Amino acid sequence: MNVPDLRHGILVEVQRRSASVVDDVTGAEFHCAYSPEIDLKNFSNFAVGDRVEFFPGDTSQEALITNVLPRTSKISRPGPSERFARELILAANVDLLVAVTASARPDFNPRQLDRYLALAENFGVEALICVNKSDLQPGLPEAVLYLETLGYSAVTCSALTGFGIEDLRDKLRGRIAVLSGPSGAGKSSLIHALIPEAGAVTGDVRRDGKGRHTTTSSRLYVTPDNVRLIDTPGLRELGLWNTKPGEVSGLWRDFKPYLGKCKFTDCLHRSEPDCAVLAAVESGAIPDWRLQSYYRVLDTLGEIVD
Ligand SMILES: Nc1nc2c(ncn2[C@@H]2O[C@H](COP(=O)(O)OP(=O)(O)OP(=O)(O)O)[C@@H](O)[C@H]2O)c(=O)[nH]1
Ligand SMILES: [Mg+2]
Ligand SMILES: [Zn+2]
């Protein structure tokens, strides 16, 4: 028997009994079954972005994924049955979360944007703010300029006209990125603009301006210039679910200097006396919308919010 020709690759699409793998070296895509020997205890499930060893198949045997390599990061949601007991990995090895927001249609909403930034902080993934639809409303909103002072990077672009797309591409190069953000912000349109051959499905924004849920399955797109982008519908509505109330404020970068300085050690910065965070908002050091977005996340912990 021949020695199996084992290769390394990345999962670009995952189904129940099989997955598509892109070969690290050749860039070719293989449709593989899973080896029954893989122990998923430490992995929960296969996810797009997972790095694997695989056997590309030959005349006598089908292509087979033989091993999953350790993850450097994961973005997950509660499993379908036992809530909080089992997690479902939505994307693996992500090193950049692009928080996509529209400058208009739907209206720019900094409190909603904060939710995606908190998600990135929570999973230990760097965030990039992407304000799309610059053709409707150019420039960065004031709230985003503030977020830049906290160390967040931001780009403004238009998937429609192509404005800013090369700038965005430069920031994605060499990374495994996920696009997250509300329905209708233009995530699929941006993937299409960045990777025309992807043919990502886009939908018209609903008449009520809320956007239509269009993308239904996850896919990782790989380009020759080393951009790897994951389009996953699950991220759009993901709330923080693996976080305790007391941990949420630590995800707000501008709250950090004040944490531990409140009168109560378990202060949630709502209306407790001698709260250092509330004092900072009062003095104008922290904008009020940051406090409001924090409350919104705190109030909806464990829920799926759209
Ligand atoms: N004017 C303008 N419209 C855009 C732009 N980008 C996307 N759109 C439109 O916005 C709508 C929603 O775009 P999608 O790319 O489907 O949005 P999405 O974020 O993928 O939405 P979901 O898959 O539902 O989460 C579509 O009608 C797009 O044509 C842009 O830069 N400018
Ligand atoms: Mg989409
Ligand atoms: Zn406090």
Side-chain angles (χ1 to χ4, degrees):
M1 203 178 95
N2 290 334
V3 177
D5 169 26
L6 274 190
R7 308 204 193 160
H8 285 92
I10 187 164
L11 292 194
V12 295
E13 219 176 297
V14 174
Q15 286 99 30
R16 194 185 293 270
R17 290 175 210 289
S18 63
S20 298
V21 181
V22 165
D23 188 309
D24 278 353
V25 178
T26 65
E29 192 167 322
F30 293 85
H31 197 73
C32 302
Y34 305 115
S35 160
E37 272 125 65
I38 297 175
D39 176 11
L40 277 181
K41 257 205 308 283
N42 296 320
F43 291 93
S44 176
N45 60 283
F46 293 101
V48 288
D50 263 327
R51 311 214 40 95
V52 297
E53 277 174 3
F54 71 103
F55 166 69
D58 58 25
T59 48
S60 66
Q61 205 189 333
E62 64 176 341
L64 204 61
I65 293 167
T66 54
N67 193 16
V68 195
L69 304 181
R71 294 177 175 130
T72 57
S73 72
K74 62 183 178 187
I75 294 177
S76 63
R77 68 183 304 161
S81 48
E82 308 146 72
R83 236 164 114 80
F84 300 105
R86 216 183 106 89
E87 61 178 347
L88 187 69
I89 315 293
L90 294 172
N93 300 315
V94 170
D95 47 26
L96 189 70
L97 184 146
V98 184
V100 180
T101 164
S103 59
R105 254 187 273 162
D107 285 345
F108 174 75
N109 179 348
R111 288 170 301 283
Q112 198 174 40
L113 172 59
D114 275 351
R115 206 152 58 74
Y116 294 97
L117 297 179
L119 201 62
E121 299 283 327
N122 183 48
F123 286 110
V125 171
E126 192 183 321
L128 170 69
I129 299 165
C130 174
V131 183
N132 186 37
K133 310 200 186 187
S134 66
D135 54 292
L136 299 176
Q137 173 75 51
L140 290 173
E142 204 177 312
V144 175
L145 299 178
Y146 172 76
L147 292 167
E148 283 187 317
T149 69
L150 304 180
Y152 288 107
S153 305
V155 290
T156 171
C157 65
S158 167
L160 190 70
T161 66
F163 174 84
I165 295 296
E166 289 316 304
D167 188 19
L168 177 59
R169 189 193 304 281
D170 283 342
K171 294 203 156 56
L172 299 180
R173 202 164 277 137
R175 323 290 288 271
I176 297 182
V178 289
L179 302 187
S180 84
S183 186
K187 299 177 294 297
S188 297
S189 302
L190 285 170
I191 288 179
H192 188 72
L194 290 159
I195 311 171
E197 62 275 21
V201 187
T202 59
D204 286 330
V205 171
R206 268 194 325 227
R207 273 182 199 285
D208 59 9
K210 279 198 160 167
R212 197 168 71 186
H213 293 179
T214 306
T215 306
T216 52
S217 68
S218 300
R219 169 85 205 189
L220 187 153
Y221 300 100
V222 185
T223 72
D225 61 351
N226 204 21
V227 169
R228 287 162 299 172
L229 258 183
I230 294 171
D231 191 14
T232 167
L235 264 178
R236 184 178 54 206
E237 300 162 13
L238 190 62
L240 296 181
W241 62 277
N242 56 351
T243 313
K244 296 184 184 74
E247 296 168 349
V248 176
S249 55
L251 306 175
W252 266 247
R253 290 184 181 177
D254 40 359
F255 289 13
K256 278 189 184 160
Y258 307 99
L259 300 180
K261 294 183 177 159
C262 303
K263 179 173 176 181
F264 298 112
T265 50
D266 59 352
C267 186
L268 289 178
H269 328 299
R270 288 190 188 272
S271 53
E272 296 90 338
D274 294 329
C275 168
V277 171
L278 290 178
V281 174
E282 196 70 29
S283 76
I286 296 175
D288 186 64
W289 58 268
R290 290 283 287 170
L291 186 65
Q292 300 310 324
S293 63
Y294 160 73
Y295 286 156
R296 173 123 175 91
V297 167
L298 199 59
D299 290 341
T300 55
L301 275 189
E303 286 177 28
I304 287 174
V305 191
D306 195 9

